[in-house]
Amino acid sequence: MPAGGFELFRDDWGIPHLRAADPLALARAQGHATALDRAWQLETERHRMLGTSASHLGAEAVDWDRFVRRARIADTARRCFDRLAPETAAWVTAYVDGVNDGLGEGAAHATEFAAVGLAPGRWEPWTPLGVWLSTHILFAGFPTKLWREEVARRLGDDRMTLFATDGPGTAGSNGWLLTGARTATGAPLIAGDPHRFIEDPGVYQQIRLACPEFDVVGLAVPGVPGIAHFGHTGHVAWAITNAMADYQDLYRERLRRTGDGGVEALGPDGWYRAHVHTETIEVAGADPERVEVIETDRGPVIIGDVAEDGAAGVAGSEAADAAPAAEGTLISLRYPPRVTGELGFDVLPALLRARTVADVDTALDRWVEPVNVVLAADTAGDTLHRVAGHVPVRPYANRLRVVPAEDPAYAWREGETVPLPRTAVDGSDGLDGSDSSDGPAGIAVMANERGLAAPLGVEFAPPHRAHRIRELLGAGTGWTPDAQAAVHTDTLLASSRRLLSLLAWAPGLGPAAERLRDRLLRWDRHMDADSTDATLYARLRTDVVHRLAAHPALKGVTGADDPWHSPAYPALFRPWLAAVPRIGYALESLLTVGLLPYEDRLALVAASAEAVAAAADETPPAPWGELHRLSPWQALPDLAPDSSDAQAIRPGVAGDHDCVLSTSSVPGVTDLFARGPAARYVWDLARREDSRWAVPFGASGVPGSAHHRDQTPLWVRGALAPVVTDWSLLHRTKPHRTSHHRTEENPAMTAPTEPAASATPALRPAAHEQKVEGFGTVRLVPVDPAADAELLHGWVTEERARFWGMADHTREQVREIYEFVDSLPTHHAYLALRDGVPAALFQTYEPDADPVGECYDVQPGDFGIHLLIAAAEGEGAVKGYTDALLTAFIAYVFSDPAHLRVVVEPDARNEKALARMVRVGFELGPEIEKPEKTARLAFLTRAALGLA
């Protein structure tokens, strides 16, 4: 390995495995490989952190740009970088060097840059900290305090937490740990799935980082070095969920202009001068926008503007000059990294070096943001269940709502943090001697419920996911990694019980509504993709949500009074302020106590049942999976939204927001879902190579790459890919240097150079690559007779391939035939890959060097081909499948100007093939006799295609 260089390997899924001589070289390698695979994503995150997205994405990005500038995300990242330990700063800088080294090359393969006219920029040493901070700044859901403030003002203080539940602004996860007493191997297992807004490319990057000091696999965040959330060092593994802690505060500020254009803020000791400066947001296709950045002693002002006369207005609202909905619209945000200059990045290299649970525990003592619940286990059987992060000490009221900035009672207690809870797993001796958590022995679960982290927050996820996971795991022992899929994909919707209970007792139902009731009461309450009962339940739930929203009891926050309409807050915060989603997420509790009398709840559900039953008679319910489709976030939506690639990222999936399979739609708003499992993982502490993982899309963020979407089928059905740890089973690319120059090779997804690389078709260099509109990317790669023998034998021995003449051949005979073809300079065999998946066998030959040349008058420029199209299954079976492949094959042949005419000679009895040839422009020739068949010649000229 060259000095300062690294080795890049990839597994069959294109996942990067990196090996370097030391941690700094490895950090450079991680940055470089991420730039190759995720260039567009990296630059998207850099621009989001800087508040410059609108410069190329246009006016839709202005609200976000304004927020991150006013919140001073970039400046906070600089502060936090300056406080890093020197060795950590050098490590982060090495990662950035790798990003800068590979970004130009990666961007050359990412079509999005050209689509928006953007050139990749330069990363600064502090940029990864800014990416982390901008990614997680809304994680704790501080805008929910705006919602509670509006509820209190409109409905009364006693109703402030009426809608408390897992709301639209929070991110949750499932995670569980099985001690050795529960597993087949006697060693612990850790598994789970982080639930986040699903982005394309994905927010998690499967990766392996290896050097003499450590060898770690895990899920990294593109743009951030190391592996923060989910990792396995071979000795110890860890995973996290959102603790749902509250650690960010909103202060209502009183500000005024000074004669010199400055700004003063009112604090506990009177008026004082606040920081103020102005920045300009460039907007593609529109005039630039100026934003005034103000920071008080509490923090940056993120809501409201100070007018020249001292009045408050709201930037980013359609009616900034309208009367504010709430008194005082100048609100500042106080968040720990801005206050302390610490983000917790010193933890990241320590996690890579961890060998025991104690090492992980010690490292996490320095963690800051976000606040997480952590599970960890090591090969010795030791376990950890704790909270990690920074929660300031301040009054409980700060957690609930916006508090006055000038009142010293609401100040943070300087230098003090809330003690973080921990508990022992399985009742064994904990690190602090605390009792074990509730539930079956040998199991620890974290699912954002009001459990271990209860003292730290206000709103938590309902307990259903946590209870269901414990129930499933507690039902047996002998658990294996593969068996975790049954937990990952469980679709029981326990939160449906309350609505169905009211339905059971709903009075005065008509015949159709009675049939609906009987059907739903017989339903197993699983939100399965093929279930029409699940769709009926979703219809009923939606109707109930809308009837609640129209009920007089909620009039102050619904309809025209919905805080979503309020001009007091920037449009960015509307998802937290909309009443209907709040009602949908809180439906279970709203139907239980407090809001409506029991008789009114029964009447409301009865009315919904009548309406849904009548609609069902006219429009029978489709399977849930046809409606419940993924709607991922993309910085640049698909340029061809109807293309196969665009549709591939919108699969129909089982589950719902309170299922373990938490594919979270918005009840009452849409059955589509944008939040769900952003990854799945299983960490095996007995044999790391038995670990499993998957992401929603693929390892590559490069459109058209073989690994751009190849994990989607796995993710949809809940399957997992193996974690490969044997270097001999990986596909090696050429060594790379990252010290002072760009690499000459592009190892992004193809072009392996070692013999082992040919084992995987998608990793072979392509003889031809073509994107066929509405179909996908077709790549022609050379057949490897040994590696492809099993695949080819399966194809040529199918009944549908009887005209190929190999129906009775053994696998070895097929291999020998293609070894012979491979030895001929005049004959070539290719696998045709559609989006990385083998779709056809394509062979070419020179007719005057083939027996067919003895059967007709060969013309100069003739070029022969053979085609065997594999059967398309499932979503791959699109209309025009064969014609799309033929388009690519013919384009390849005629890309050589020496080829003037394509020659084919299918079996004369194969009427379907002959008709297809005529359809695409071939002219039929005479029948010829060959030893193995009577064939019919057909010819396609350049002139027939208008290429002459």
Side-chain angles (χ1 to χ4, degrees):
M1 188 185 308
F6 68 92
E7 294 176 296
L8 171 60
F9 297 75
R10 295 190 187 271
D11 65 13
D12 289 352
W13 298 93
I15 295 167
H17 293 242
L18 299 162
R19 191 161 62 185
D22 58 69
L24 290 182
L26 187 59
R28 285 193 295 272
Q30 185 182 5
H32 185 91
T34 304
L36 293 178
D37 291 357
R38 306 288 187 102
W40 171 250
Q41 182 179 19
L42 288 181
E43 283 296 87
T44 294
E45 295 302 330
R46 186 178 68 86
H47 282 284
R48 281 176 60 80
M49 176 271 297
L50 292 173
T52 55
S53 298
S55 66
H56 58 280
L57 297 180
E60 290 185 359
V62 168
D63 287 335
W64 175 263
D65 284 356
R66 183 183 293 110
F67 166 67
V68 296
R69 287 172 184 252
R70 299 188 74 177
R72 310 204 70 185
I73 297 298
D75 186 70
T76 304
R78 293 186 190 96
R79 287 187 185 183
C80 293
F81 180 83
D82 289 343
R83 291 179 63 90
L84 289 177
E87 58 273 19
T88 304
W91 178 72
V92 175
T93 300
Y95 178 89
V96 168
D97 288 344
V99 170
N100 286 327
D101 191 56
L103 200 52
E105 185 176 357
H109 296 273
T111 56
E112 297 94 339
F113 286 92
V116 298
L118 182 69
R122 182 164 184 81
W123 282 48
E124 300 296 334
W126 49 268
T127 300
L129 285 77
V131 168
W132 184 267
L133 191 54
S134 66
T135 299
H136 295 98
I137 189 65
L138 296 176
F139 232 56
F142 70 78
T144 297
K145 297 178 184 183
L146 303 175
W147 164 257
R148 293 196 205 107
E149 195 71 26
E150 291 298 313
V151 171
R153 194 176 66 83
R154 297 157 185 256
L155 300 181
D157 284 356
D158 61 328
R159 294 295 179 93
M160 187 185 301
T161 59
L162 177 65
F163 301 87
T165 186
D166 182 19
T170 57
S173 305
N174 297 321
W176 58 91
L177 184 155
L178 294 160
T179 67
R182 287 275 179 183
T183 67
T185 63
L189 284 174
I190 296 176
D193 50 357
H195 305 151
R196 302 175 69 136
F197 284 102
I198 294 178
E199 302 177 12
D200 175 37
V203 70
Y204 285 114
Q205 173 194 29
Q206 299 149 296
I207 201 164
R208 182 184 186 183
L209 305 173
C211 66
E213 288 188 50
F214 52 79
D215 182 343
V216 187
V217 298
L219 302 170
V221 174
V224 177
I227 296 170
H229 284 165
F230 310 95
H232 193 328
T233 73
H235 307 281
V236 62
W238 65 91
I240 63 95
T241 60
N242 186 352
M244 312 296 283
D246 185 276
Y247 50 89
Q248 301 166 327
D249 285 349
L250 296 178
Y251 288 89
R252 182 174 296 107
E253 299 280 358
R254 294 178 62 185
L255 306 177
R256 68 186 184 189
R257 287 284 179 194
T258 62
D260 60 0
V263 172
E264 289 183 337
L266 182 63
D269 299 321
W271 292 93
Y272 65 94
R273 195 168 185 93
H275 169 89
V276 60
H277 72 271
T278 302
E279 299 181 11
T280 300
I281 300 174
E282 299 294 335
V283 184
D287 293 334
E289 296 199 16
R290 293 174 66 81
V291 56
E292 187 174 48
V293 178
I294 302 171
E295 185 166 15
T296 72
D297 287 352
R298 266 70 55 191
V301 175
I302 61 168
I303 295 173
D305 292 300
V306 184
E308 291 304 318
D309 61 0
V314 179
S317 69
E318 285 84 348
D321 57 347
E327 179 185 357
T329 55
L330 293 161
I331 295 174
S332 63
L333 171 66
R334 189 170 181 84
Y335 58 103
R338 187 68 189 163
V339 175
T340 66
E342 300 283 353
L343 194 52
F345 264 43
D346 287 319
V347 173
L348 300 181
L351 286 175
L352 296 178
R353 294 183 173 91
R355 299 180 69 85
T356 66
V357 158
D359 293 339
V360 172
D361 192 28
T362 299
L364 290 174
D365 285 341
R366 295 172 286 165
W367 189 245
V368 176
E369 171 138 347
V371 179
N372 297 320
V373 177
V374 182
L375 289 173
D378 61 28
T379 53
D382 292 329
T383 57
L384 175 69
H385 190 185
R386 64 164 290 181
V387 177
H390 181 111
V391 181
V393 176
R394 78 276 202 223
Y396 185 78
N398 291 42
R399 299 185 190 181
L400 288 173
R401 62 192 305 176
V402 184
V403 294
E406 69 273 14
D407 191 336
Y410 299 103
W412 290 11
R413 287 163 59 173
E414 187 174 354
E416 295 189 40
T417 59
V418 177
L420 299 177
R422 63 172 67 228
T423 187
V425 179
D426 194 24
S428 59
D429 291 338
L431 294 172
D432 64 352
S434 60
D435 294 333
S436 64
S437 59
D438 295 336
I443 299 169
V445 176
M446 50 182 187
N448 321 115
E449 76 280 19
R450 190 179 298 274
L452 185 65
L456 307 177
V458 176
E459 298 191 20
F460 295 83
H464 306 301
R465 286 187 284 117
H467 289 171
R468 180 60 172 167
I469 293 169
R470 290 190 183 97
E471 178 185 14
L472 292 169
L473 295 175
T477 56
W479 285 96
T480 64
D482 287 339
Q484 303 311 300
V487 184
H488 279 131
T489 59
D490 187 78
T491 60
L492 178 68
L493 187 65
S495 62
S496 65
R497 179 178 300 173
R498 186 59 189 165
L499 176 52
L500 293 177
S501 176
L502 290 169
L503 178 64
W505 294 99
L509 297 180
E514 284 189 346
R515 291 194 297 273
L516 171 73
R517 177 183 62 189
D518 294 344
R519 179 174 175 179
L520 287 180
L521 293 181
R522 291 193 301 269
W523 173 46
D524 63 5
R525 294 190 294 140
H526 283 264
M527 300 296 284
D528 292 331
D530 61 356
S531 172
T532 55
D533 290 344
T535 302
L536 266 183
Y537 174 79
R539 287 184 180 180
L540 179 66
R541 179 176 63 187
T542 293
D543 195 88
V544 169
V545 167
H546 286 288
R547 289 177 189 274
L548 273 175
H551 197 280
L554 293 179
K555 184 179 184 305
V557 293
T558 58
D561 295 322
D562 192 327
W564 188 88
H565 300 298
S566 171
Y569 308 113
L572 180 70
F573 300 127
R574 282 181 177 168
W576 289 266
L577 292 165
V580 171
R582 290 284 177 183
I583 294 168
Y585 282 121
L587 184 62
E588 185 180 15
S589 60
L590 292 175
L591 290 178
T592 302
V593 292
L595 181 64
L596 302 179
Y598 180 64
E599 292 76 11
D600 289 1
R601 284 177 263 152
L602 286 176
L604 186 147
V605 172
S608 289
E610 295 287 359
V612 171
D617 285 343
E618 295 184 9
T619 309
W624 178 233
E626 292 187 11
L627 306 174
H628 190 59
R629 291 185 171 275
L630 174 61
S631 180
W633 181 85
Q634 296 173 292
L636 185 66
D638 288 290
L639 301 178
D642 297 326
S643 68
S644 61
D645 189 61
Q647 295 305 308
I649 64 170
R650 293 171 174 80
V653 182
D656 200 31
H657 69 285
D658 281 334
C659 300
V660 177
L661 179 51
S662 184
T663 48
S664 187
S665 57
V666 185
V669 177
T670 179
D671 292 326
L672 301 175
F673 69 96
R675 196 173 70 193
R680 294 191 181 100
Y681 61 90
V682 181
W683 301 145
D684 189 348
L685 273 302
R687 285 168 42 90
R688 187 171 65 162
E689 57 267 37
D690 289 337
S691 298
R692 302 286 186 267
W693 53 8
V695 293
F697 301 122
S700 173
V702 180
S705 159
H707 302 295
H708 192 211
R709 301 276 189 262
D710 59 339
Q711 293 188 52
T712 300
L714 290 180
W715 182 82
V716 168
R717 66 178 187 267
L720 300 169
V723 174
V724 180
T725 59
D726 186 341
W727 294 98
S728 69
L729 299 178
L730 301 172
H731 314 297
R732 183 178 180 274
T733 68
K734 289 182 179 179
H736 291 77
R737 294 180 57 85
T738 63
S739 49
H740 300 292
H741 60 84
R742 288 178 54 190
T743 57
E744 296 180 1
E745 305 83 15
N746 173 24
M749 284 288 106
T750 59
T753 61
E754 299 290 324
S758 64
T760 304
L763 295 178
R764 297 174 199 161
H768 178 70
E769 182 168 332
Q770 180 176 347
K771 189 170 183 66
V772 180
E773 188 65 33
F775 182 74
T777 298
V778 178
R779 299 176 69 247
L780 301 182
V781 301
V783 164
D784 182 317
D788 299 334
E790 188 70 31
L791 173 68
L792 297 179
H793 180 258
W795 285 356
V796 301
T797 57
E798 288 180 341
E799 168 59 24
R800 62 190 304 277
R802 61 189 181 279
F803 295 120
W804 204 254
M806 294 186 179
D808 58 350
H809 282 44
T810 66
R811 180 184 179 280
E812 283 304 304
Q813 288 173 320
V814 171
R815 180 182 61 80
E816 290 171 0
I817 287 172
Y818 284 98
E819 285 178 344
F820 172 71
V821 171
D822 193 44
S823 70
L824 300 174
T826 55
H827 291 61
H828 301 283
Y830 303 94
L831 285 179
L833 310 180
R834 178 199 179 198
D835 292 335
V837 179
L841 174 62
F842 176 58
Q843 294 178 216
T844 66
Y845 62 91
E846 296 176 15
D848 57 3
D850 188 88
V852 75
E854 300 175 4
C855 302
Y856 85 104
D857 183 17
V858 177
Q859 302 295 315
D862 279 0
F863 195 71
I865 64 173
H866 297 300
L867 311 175
L868 176 59
I869 310 295
E873 300 178 354
E875 294 184 359
V878 298
K879 185 178 180 180
Y881 186 93
T882 300
D883 288 352
L885 288 170
L886 275 171
T887 297
F889 298 155
I890 292 168
Y892 168 60
V893 172
F894 284 136
S895 66
D896 186 339
H899 299 156
L900 304 179
R901 187 171 68 161
V902 178
V903 181
V904 296
E905 27 96 11
D907 192 296
R909 297 167 297 170
N910 193 345
E911 295 179 357
K912 186 175 181 180
L914 290 168
R916 182 183 303 118
M917 295 303 173
V918 171
R919 187 168 65 246
V920 298
F922 279 81
E923 181 180 345
L924 294 180
E927 290 188 358
I928 59 174
E929 294 297 329
K930 298 184 66 179
E932 73 278 10
K933 66 180 180 182
T934 298
R936 182 75 180 268
L937 288 170
F939 305 95
L940 178 67
T941 65
R942 283 180 172 273
L945 297 177
L947 301 176

